[in-house]
Amino acid sequence: MGSMRRSSVRLLIGFLLIRLNWCSAVGDKGAEKVGVAFPVVVSTWPFREAVRAAWKVVSTGEGWGSAVDAVVAGCSACEDLRCDGTVGPGGSPDENGETTLDALVMNGATMEIGAVAAMRYVKDGIKAAKLVMEHSEHTLLVGEKATAFAISMGLPGPTNLSSPESIEKWEKWKQNHCQPNFWKNVDPVGGLCQGYFESDNLLEPIKSNLKVVNRHNHDTISMAVIDKMGHIAVGTSTNGATFKIPGRVGDGPIPGSSSYGDDEVGACGATGDGDIMMRFLPCYQVVESMRQGMDPRDAATDAISRIARKYPDFIGAVFAVNKEGVHAGACHGWTFQYSVRNSSMQDVEVITVYP
Protein backbone atom coordinates (compact mmCIF):
# COMPACT_ATOMS: atom_id res chain seq x y z
CA MET A 1 0.00 0.00 0.00
CA GLY A 2 2.88 2.33 0.94
CA SER A 3 4.72 1.57 -2.31
CA MET A 4 1.58 2.35 -4.31
CA ARG A 5 1.27 5.71 -2.56
CA ARG A 6 4.95 6.49 -3.25
CA SER A 7 4.47 5.58 -6.90
CA SER A 8 1.42 7.84 -7.12
CA VAL A 9 3.35 10.71 -5.54
CA ARG A 10 6.28 10.19 -7.95
CA LEU A 11 3.82 10.11 -10.88
CA LEU A 12 2.17 13.33 -9.71
CA ILE A 13 5.52 15.05 -9.25
CA GLY A 14 6.61 13.89 -12.70
CA PHE A 15 3.43 15.24 -14.25
CA LEU A 16 3.89 18.59 -12.50
CA LEU A 17 7.49 18.83 -13.73
CA ILE A 18 6.40 18.10 -17.30
CA ARG A 19 3.66 20.72 -16.96
CA LEU A 20 6.10 23.27 -15.56
CA ASN A 21 8.62 22.64 -18.35
CA TRP A 22 5.87 22.98 -20.98
CA CYS A 23 4.72 26.30 -19.51
CA SER A 24 8.30 27.58 -19.41
CA ALA A 25 8.82 26.62 -23.04
CA VAL A 26 5.69 28.49 -24.06
CA GLY A 27 6.82 31.51 -22.08
CA ASP A 28 10.29 31.46 -23.68
CA LYS A 29 8.77 31.11 -27.12
CA GLY A 30 6.39 34.02 -26.47
CA ALA A 31 9.26 36.24 -25.34
CA GLU A 32 11.23 35.31 -28.44
CA LYS A 33 8.27 36.22 -30.60
CA VAL A 34 8.01 39.61 -28.90
CA GLY A 35 11.72 40.19 -29.45
CA VAL A 36 11.40 39.50 -33.16
CA ALA A 37 8.31 41.69 -33.66
CA PHE A 38 9.24 44.73 -31.59
CA PRO A 39 9.88 47.58 -32.00
CA VAL A 40 7.24 48.46 -34.62
CA VAL A 41 6.62 51.78 -36.37
CA VAL A 42 3.60 52.32 -38.63
CA SER A 43 2.68 55.56 -40.43
CA THR A 44 0.14 56.76 -42.94
CA TRP A 45 1.51 57.28 -46.47
CA PRO A 46 5.03 56.63 -47.81
CA PHE A 47 6.58 58.98 -45.27
CA ARG A 48 9.76 56.92 -45.09
CA GLU A 49 11.95 59.56 -43.48
CA ALA A 50 9.43 60.05 -40.70
CA VAL A 51 9.37 56.31 -39.99
CA ARG A 52 13.18 56.18 -40.07
CA ALA A 53 13.36 59.03 -37.56
CA ALA A 54 10.98 57.21 -35.22
CA TRP A 55 12.81 53.92 -35.74
CA LYS A 56 16.14 55.51 -34.84
CA VAL A 57 14.74 56.59 -31.48
CA VAL A 58 12.90 53.40 -30.61
CA SER A 59 15.52 50.89 -31.78
CA THR A 60 18.83 52.35 -30.59
CA GLY A 61 20.38 53.64 -27.43
CA GLU A 62 20.71 52.22 -23.94
CA GLY A 63 17.37 50.87 -22.78
CA TRP A 64 15.85 51.77 -26.17
CA GLY A 65 13.75 54.86 -26.78
CA SER A 66 10.18 55.18 -25.59
CA ALA A 67 7.20 54.90 -27.90
CA VAL A 68 6.15 58.48 -27.10
CA ASP A 69 9.59 59.91 -27.91
CA ALA A 70 9.68 57.92 -31.16
CA VAL A 71 6.27 59.21 -32.26
CA VAL A 72 7.32 62.80 -31.55
CA ALA A 73 10.57 62.31 -33.48
CA GLY A 74 8.75 60.78 -36.45
CA CYS A 75 6.05 63.42 -36.68
CA SER A 76 8.62 66.19 -36.13
CA ALA A 77 10.61 64.89 -39.08
CA CYS A 78 7.50 65.11 -41.24
CA GLU A 79 6.82 68.65 -40.02
CA ASP A 80 10.39 69.67 -40.91
CA LEU A 81 10.12 68.02 -44.33
CA ARG A 82 6.63 69.49 -44.88
CA CYS A 83 5.44 66.07 -46.05
CA ASP A 84 3.18 66.46 -49.09
CA GLY A 85 2.72 70.12 -48.13
CA THR A 86 0.06 69.03 -45.64
CA VAL A 87 2.19 68.60 -42.50
CA GLY A 88 4.04 71.35 -40.67
CA PRO A 89 4.47 74.99 -41.68
CA GLY A 90 4.34 76.35 -45.20
CA GLY A 91 1.29 74.55 -46.54
CA SER A 92 -2.53 74.36 -46.59
CA PRO A 93 -3.47 78.06 -46.38
CA ASP A 94 -6.91 78.89 -45.06
CA GLU A 95 -9.25 81.40 -46.73
CA ASN A 96 -7.14 84.25 -45.32
CA GLY A 97 -3.91 82.73 -46.59
CA GLU A 98 -2.71 81.69 -43.13
CA THR A 99 -1.30 78.29 -42.17
CA THR A 100 -2.22 76.87 -38.75
CA LEU A 101 -1.32 73.55 -37.14
CA ASP A 102 -3.18 70.69 -35.44
CA ALA A 103 -1.39 67.87 -33.58
CA LEU A 104 -1.97 65.13 -31.03
CA VAL A 105 0.12 62.64 -29.06
CA MET A 106 -1.21 59.79 -26.92
CA ASN A 107 0.51 57.48 -24.44
CA GLY A 108 -1.16 54.07 -24.69
CA ALA A 109 0.28 52.94 -21.35
CA THR A 110 -1.30 55.75 -19.30
CA MET A 111 -3.99 56.92 -21.77
CA GLU A 112 -2.66 60.48 -21.35
CA ILE A 113 -3.22 62.76 -24.35
CA GLY A 114 -1.95 66.18 -25.37
CA ALA A 115 -3.18 68.12 -28.38
CA VAL A 116 -3.17 71.54 -29.99
CA ALA A 117 -5.60 72.87 -32.59
CA ALA A 118 -5.62 75.90 -34.92
CA MET A 119 -2.25 76.84 -33.42
CA ARG A 120 -0.66 79.93 -34.96
CA TYR A 121 2.95 81.13 -35.14
CA VAL A 122 4.62 77.97 -33.74
CA LYS A 123 5.99 75.45 -36.22
CA ASP A 124 6.46 72.48 -33.86
CA GLY A 125 2.96 71.05 -33.62
CA ILE A 126 3.73 67.60 -32.22
CA LYS A 127 6.21 68.96 -29.66
CA ALA A 128 3.58 71.44 -28.47
CA ALA A 129 1.10 68.58 -28.09
CA LYS A 130 3.64 66.62 -26.01
CA LEU A 131 4.13 69.67 -23.75
CA VAL A 132 0.37 69.85 -23.18
CA MET A 133 0.37 66.17 -22.19
CA GLU A 134 3.40 66.34 -19.93
CA HIS A 135 3.00 69.77 -18.30
CA SER A 136 -0.74 70.36 -17.94
CA GLU A 137 -3.82 68.57 -16.69
CA HIS A 138 -5.57 69.44 -19.96
CA THR A 139 -5.96 67.43 -23.14
CA LEU A 140 -6.44 70.10 -25.83
CA LEU A 141 -5.38 73.75 -26.20
CA VAL A 142 -6.48 75.85 -29.16
CA GLY A 143 -5.69 78.96 -31.17
CA GLU A 144 -3.54 81.80 -29.91
CA LYS A 145 -3.67 80.47 -26.34
CA ALA A 146 -2.08 77.24 -27.57
CA THR A 147 0.56 79.43 -29.21
CA ALA A 148 1.21 81.33 -25.98
CA PHE A 149 1.49 78.09 -24.01
CA ALA A 150 3.93 76.55 -26.48
CA ILE A 151 6.18 79.62 -26.51
CA SER A 152 6.05 79.87 -22.72
CA MET A 153 7.30 76.27 -22.58
CA GLY A 154 10.33 77.11 -24.72
CA LEU A 155 9.31 76.36 -28.29
CA PRO A 156 10.48 78.90 -30.90
CA GLY A 157 8.02 81.59 -31.90
CA PRO A 158 6.23 83.63 -32.95
CA THR A 159 7.02 82.50 -36.50
CA ASN A 160 5.22 83.12 -39.76
CA LEU A 161 3.94 79.67 -40.81
CA SER A 162 3.25 80.69 -44.39
CA SER A 163 5.68 80.07 -47.25
CA PRO A 164 6.06 81.47 -50.77
CA GLU A 165 4.43 78.29 -52.05
CA SER A 166 1.42 78.55 -49.75
CA ILE A 167 0.91 82.23 -50.57
CA GLU A 168 1.15 81.51 -54.31
CA LYS A 169 -1.44 78.74 -53.92
CA TRP A 170 -3.71 81.11 -52.05
CA GLU A 171 -3.35 83.86 -54.66
CA LYS A 172 -4.30 81.45 -57.45
CA TRP A 173 -7.30 80.30 -55.42
CA LYS A 174 -8.54 83.88 -55.08
CA GLN A 175 -8.09 84.41 -58.84
CA ASN A 176 -10.27 81.32 -59.33
CA HIS A 177 -13.11 83.04 -57.46
CA CYS A 178 -12.29 81.18 -54.23
CA GLN A 179 -13.10 77.78 -55.69
CA PRO A 180 -13.17 75.11 -54.38
CA ASN A 181 -14.22 75.94 -50.82
CA PHE A 182 -16.08 74.60 -47.80
CA TRP A 183 -19.18 76.83 -47.69
CA LYS A 184 -22.69 75.59 -48.41
CA ASN A 185 -26.13 77.17 -48.61
CA VAL A 186 -24.89 80.65 -47.68
CA ASP A 187 -23.20 83.70 -49.16
CA PRO A 188 -20.31 84.63 -46.84
CA VAL A 189 -20.48 88.24 -45.73
CA GLY A 190 -17.41 90.38 -45.22
CA GLY A 191 -14.82 87.84 -46.35
CA LEU A 192 -12.36 87.95 -49.21
CA CYS A 193 -14.76 85.99 -51.37
CA GLN A 194 -17.91 88.00 -50.71
CA GLY A 195 -20.14 87.98 -53.79
CA TYR A 196 -18.60 84.91 -55.41
CA PHE A 197 -21.30 82.67 -53.95
CA GLU A 198 -24.37 84.65 -54.99
CA SER A 199 -27.10 82.78 -56.86
CA ASP A 200 -29.10 84.17 -59.74
CA ASN A 201 -32.17 82.35 -58.42
CA LEU A 202 -33.17 83.43 -54.93
CA LEU A 203 -35.08 80.16 -54.47
CA GLU A 204 -32.03 78.05 -55.29
CA PRO A 205 -29.72 77.04 -52.45
CA ILE A 206 -26.29 78.63 -52.77
CA LYS A 207 -23.55 76.06 -53.30
CA SER A 208 -19.85 76.33 -53.86
CA ASN A 209 -17.93 74.04 -56.14
CA LEU A 210 -17.36 70.72 -54.46
CA LYS A 211 -14.27 70.64 -52.31
CA VAL A 212 -11.47 68.48 -53.60
CA VAL A 213 -10.00 65.95 -51.18
CA ASN A 214 -6.73 64.19 -51.95
CA ARG A 215 -3.49 63.42 -50.14
CA HIS A 216 -1.89 66.68 -51.33
CA ASN A 217 -4.46 69.09 -49.89
CA HIS A 218 -6.25 67.21 -47.13
CA ASP A 219 -3.82 64.90 -45.46
CA THR A 220 -2.26 63.89 -42.20
CA ILE A 221 0.65 61.96 -40.79
CA SER A 222 -0.69 59.56 -38.21
CA MET A 223 1.88 57.30 -36.59
CA ALA A 224 1.83 54.40 -34.14
CA VAL A 225 4.86 52.98 -32.33
CA ILE A 226 5.24 49.88 -30.20
CA ASP A 227 8.52 50.06 -28.30
CA LYS A 228 10.78 47.26 -27.09
CA MET A 229 8.78 46.95 -23.87
CA GLY A 230 5.50 46.59 -25.77
CA HIS A 231 4.28 50.07 -24.84
CA ILE A 232 2.23 51.89 -27.46
CA ALA A 233 2.06 55.55 -28.45
CA VAL A 234 0.33 57.32 -31.33
CA GLY A 235 0.61 60.78 -32.81
CA THR A 236 -0.84 62.97 -35.53
CA SER A 237 0.28 66.20 -37.16
CA THR A 238 -1.33 68.23 -39.94
CA ASN A 239 -1.84 71.75 -41.21
CA GLY A 240 -5.41 70.88 -42.07
CA ALA A 241 -7.54 71.24 -45.17
CA THR A 242 -6.42 73.64 -47.88
CA PHE A 243 -8.63 76.78 -48.11
CA LYS A 244 -10.52 75.86 -44.95
CA ILE A 245 -12.72 78.42 -43.24
CA PRO A 246 -10.51 80.17 -40.65
CA GLY A 247 -10.92 78.52 -37.26
CA ARG A 248 -11.72 75.10 -38.70
CA VAL A 249 -10.35 72.16 -36.72
CA GLY A 250 -10.36 68.74 -38.35
CA ASP A 251 -9.82 65.28 -36.95
CA GLY A 252 -6.06 65.70 -36.36
CA PRO A 253 -6.20 66.72 -32.69
CA ILE A 254 -9.32 64.72 -31.85
CA PRO A 255 -8.55 61.58 -29.78
CA GLY A 256 -10.06 58.47 -31.31
CA SER A 257 -10.48 60.07 -34.71
CA SER A 258 -7.03 60.68 -36.22
CA SER A 259 -5.30 58.18 -33.94
CA TYR A 260 -5.78 56.11 -30.81
CA GLY A 261 -3.75 53.55 -28.91
CA ASP A 262 -3.99 51.29 -25.89
CA ASP A 263 -1.20 49.03 -24.60
CA GLU A 264 -3.77 46.33 -23.87
CA VAL A 265 -5.02 46.14 -27.47
CA GLY A 266 -3.15 48.00 -30.20
CA ALA A 267 -3.35 51.22 -32.20
CA CYS A 268 -4.83 52.97 -35.21
CA GLY A 269 -4.02 55.94 -37.45
CA ALA A 270 -6.34 57.68 -39.91
CA THR A 271 -6.16 60.08 -42.84
CA GLY A 272 -8.64 61.64 -45.25
CA ASP A 273 -11.68 63.88 -44.98
CA GLY A 274 -11.43 64.73 -41.30
CA ASP A 275 -14.68 66.69 -41.22
CA ILE A 276 -16.51 63.46 -42.04
CA MET A 277 -14.27 60.99 -40.23
CA MET A 278 -14.31 62.77 -36.88
CA ARG A 279 -18.06 62.15 -36.69
CA PHE A 280 -17.36 58.42 -36.37
CA LEU A 281 -14.15 58.27 -34.27
CA PRO A 282 -12.82 55.54 -36.57
CA CYS A 283 -9.60 54.87 -34.65
CA TYR A 284 -11.42 54.41 -31.38
CA GLN A 285 -13.72 52.04 -33.23
CA VAL A 286 -10.76 50.08 -34.64
CA VAL A 287 -9.13 49.63 -31.24
CA GLU A 288 -12.37 48.64 -29.55
CA SER A 289 -13.15 46.15 -32.34
CA MET A 290 -9.72 44.57 -31.83
CA ARG A 291 -10.42 44.48 -28.09
CA GLN A 292 -13.53 42.43 -28.88
CA GLY A 293 -11.50 39.93 -30.90
CA MET A 294 -11.39 41.27 -34.47
CA ASP A 295 -8.08 40.99 -36.30
CA PRO A 296 -6.56 44.27 -37.58
CA ARG A 297 -7.77 43.82 -41.15
CA ASP A 298 -11.39 43.20 -40.16
CA ALA A 299 -11.32 46.01 -37.59
CA ALA A 300 -10.00 48.50 -40.15
CA THR A 301 -12.49 47.41 -42.81
CA ASP A 302 -15.38 47.61 -40.37
CA ALA A 303 -14.50 51.16 -39.27
CA ILE A 304 -14.26 52.42 -42.86
CA SER A 305 -17.47 50.68 -43.91
CA ARG A 306 -19.39 52.34 -41.06
CA ILE A 307 -18.50 55.73 -42.55
CA ALA A 308 -19.09 54.70 -46.16
CA ARG A 309 -22.62 53.52 -45.38
CA LYS A 310 -23.55 57.06 -44.32
CA TYR A 311 -21.26 58.98 -46.69
CA PRO A 312 -20.71 56.90 -49.86
CA ASP A 313 -18.58 59.63 -51.46
CA PHE A 314 -16.21 60.21 -48.57
CA ILE A 315 -12.46 59.69 -48.98
CA GLY A 316 -10.40 58.24 -46.16
CA ALA A 317 -8.30 55.41 -44.78
CA VAL A 318 -7.05 53.84 -41.57
CA PHE A 319 -4.28 51.49 -40.55
CA ALA A 320 -4.59 49.12 -37.61
CA VAL A 321 -1.86 47.37 -35.63
CA ASN A 322 -2.50 45.03 -32.73
CA LYS A 323 -0.33 44.65 -29.64
CA GLU A 324 1.53 41.75 -31.29
CA GLY A 325 2.58 44.02 -34.17
CA VAL A 326 0.23 42.55 -36.80
CA HIS A 327 -0.89 45.37 -39.10
CA ALA A 328 -3.41 46.02 -41.87
CA GLY A 329 -5.19 48.88 -43.62
CA ALA A 330 -8.51 49.79 -45.23
CA CYS A 331 -9.62 52.69 -47.40
CA HIS A 332 -12.52 54.18 -49.34
CA GLY A 333 -12.49 56.48 -52.35
CA TRP A 334 -8.75 56.36 -53.02
CA THR A 335 -5.75 54.04 -53.01
CA PHE A 336 -4.01 54.22 -49.65
CA GLN A 337 -0.43 53.49 -48.66
CA TYR A 338 1.08 53.12 -45.23
CA SER A 339 4.68 52.60 -44.10
CA VAL A 340 6.02 49.99 -41.67
CA ARG A 341 9.32 49.13 -40.02
CA ASN A 342 9.94 46.35 -37.53
CA SER A 343 12.99 44.42 -36.39
CA SER A 344 12.62 41.80 -39.12
CA MET A 345 12.95 44.44 -41.87
CA GLN A 346 16.12 46.02 -43.23
CA ASP A 347 14.35 49.30 -43.97
CA VAL A 348 10.91 50.88 -44.22
CA GLU A 349 8.38 48.96 -46.30
CA VAL A 350 5.37 50.58 -47.96
CA ILE A 351 2.07 48.67 -48.08
CA THR A 352 -0.53 49.54 -50.73
CA VAL A 353 -4.21 49.15 -49.89
CA TYR A 354 -6.90 49.31 -52.57
CA PRO A 355 -10.52 50.38 -52.02
Side-chain angles (χ1 to χ4, degrees), residues 138-151:
H138 302 309
T139 293
L140 173 63
L141 298 181
V142 301
E144 292 186 3
K145 298 305 181 182
T147 301
F149 172 83
I151 293 174

Side-chain angles (χ1 to χ4, degrees), residues 2-31:
S3 61
M4 289 181 63
R5 287 178 178 173
R6 286 194 295 272
S7 297
S8 298
V9 170
R10 284 195 296 268
L11 184 61
L12 179 59
I13 292 173
F15 174 80
L16 290 174
L17 287 173
I18 292 172
R19 178 69 175 173
L20 177 62
N21 289 335
W22 180 81
C23 290
S24 298
V26 171
D28 291 342
K29 185 176 180 181

Side-chain angles (χ1 to χ4, degrees), residues 43-58:
S43 169
T44 52
W45 303 115
F47 295 152
R48 292 178 176 85
E49 292 305 317
V51 173
R52 288 175 183 139
W55 180 258
K56 183 177 180 181
V57 170
V58 82

Side-chain angles (χ1 to χ4, degrees), residues 182-193:
F182 290 88
W183 293 91
K184 64 179 183 181
N185 301 330
V186 67
D187 181 17
V189 176
L192 291 170
C193 297

Side-chain angles (χ1 to χ4, degrees), residues 29-352:
K29 185 176 180 181
E32 182 180 348
K33 181 179 179 182
V34 170
V36 170
F38 297 156
V40 180
V41 180
V42 188
S43 169
T44 52
W45 303 115
F47 295 152
R48 292 178 176 85
E49 292 305 317
V51 173
R52 288 175 183 139
W55 180 258
K56 183 177 180 181
V57 170
V58 82
S59 65
T60 60
E62 184 178 352
W64 312 90
S66 74
V68 169
D69 289 341
V71 162
V72 171
C75 290
S76 291
C78 224
E79 291 171 350
D80 291 341
L81 292 169
R82 302 181 181 183
C83 291
D84 279 349
T86 61
V87 179
S92 298
D94 64 17
E95 284 191 345
N96 293 334
E98 183 179 4
T99 297
T100 56
L101 304 183
D102 301 335
L104 172 149
V105 65
M106 179 176 186
N107 185 334
T110 64
M111 307 305 283
E112 292 175 293
I113 297 171
V116 292
M119 185 174 69
R120 310 171 72 190
Y121 309 131
V122 173
K123 66 182 181 62
D124 301 302
I126 194 70
K127 291 179 181 177
K130 184 171 183 276
L131 289 170
V132 173
M133 181 177 74
E134 293 186 340
H135 298 293
S136 83
E137 295 291 339
H138 302 309
T139 293
L140 173 63
L141 298 181
V142 301
E144 292 186 3
K145 298 305 181 182
T147 301
F149 172 83
I151 293 174
S152 75
M153 296 302 296
L155 292 181
T159 301
N160 184 0
L161 300 184
S162 298
S163 67
E165 294 80 10
S166 69
I167 296 300
E168 180 183 4
K169 182 184 294 186
W170 178 61
E171 293 287 354
K172 289 181 178 179
W173 177 75
K174 287 193 298 178
Q175 293 170 12
N176 194 44
H177 303 290
C178 302
Q179 301 289 353
N181 60 74
F182 290 88
W183 293 91
K184 64 179 183 181
N185 301 330
V186 67
D187 181 17
V189 176
L192 291 170
C193 297
Q194 182 177 358
Y196 290 156
F197 301 88
E198 293 176 355
S199 171
D200 294 332
N201 183 353
L202 295 179
L203 299 179
E204 178 184 345
I206 298 168
K207 296 182 180 179
S208 70
N209 289 348
L210 291 176
K211 61 183 183 291
V212 178
V213 178
N214 60 52
R215 60 172 285 195
H216 299 293
N217 69 2
H218 207 96
D219 191 22
T220 304
I221 179 171
S222 287
M223 177 176 284
V225 174
I226 307 177
D227 65 23
K228 191 72 173 180
M229 302 301 294
H231 296 312
I232 292 172
V234 297
T236 299
S237 184
T238 180
N239 51 37
T242 305
F243 312 131
K244 58 184 175 284
I245 298 169
R248 178 263 189 184
V249 174
D251 67 329
I254 306 303
S257 188
S258 67
S259 56
Y260 196 75
D262 186 338
D263 274 16
E264 297 178 358
V265 183
C268 167
T271 182
D273 189 342
D275 289 297
I276 299 297
M277 298 179 77
M278 67 193 297
R279 302 169 190 175
F280 295 83
L281 298 180
C283 277
Y284 179 80
Q285 182 65 56
V286 165
V287 172
E288 290 308 301
S289 292
M290 291 193 296
R291 192 190 306 275
Q292 298 302 317
M294 279 192 187
D295 64 32
R297 185 179 304 279
D298 289 343
T301 301
D302 173 71
I304 290 295
S305 66
R306 289 170 183 260
I307 306 173
R309 283 196 294 270
K310 298 290 186 179
Y311 294 92
D313 296 328
F314 106 97
I315 293 174
V318 298
F319 70 75
V321 55
N322 67 18
K323 64 181 181 180
E324 284 80 31
V326 179
H327 54 84
C331 60
H332 183 85
W334 58 6
T335 298
F336 172 55
Q337 292 182 306
Y338 67 94
S339 303
V340 183
R341 176 77 196 269
N342 64 34
S343 58
S344 68
M345 300 173 180
Q346 295 301 311
D347 198 1
V348 180
E349 297 184 4
V350 176
I351 310 298
T352 300

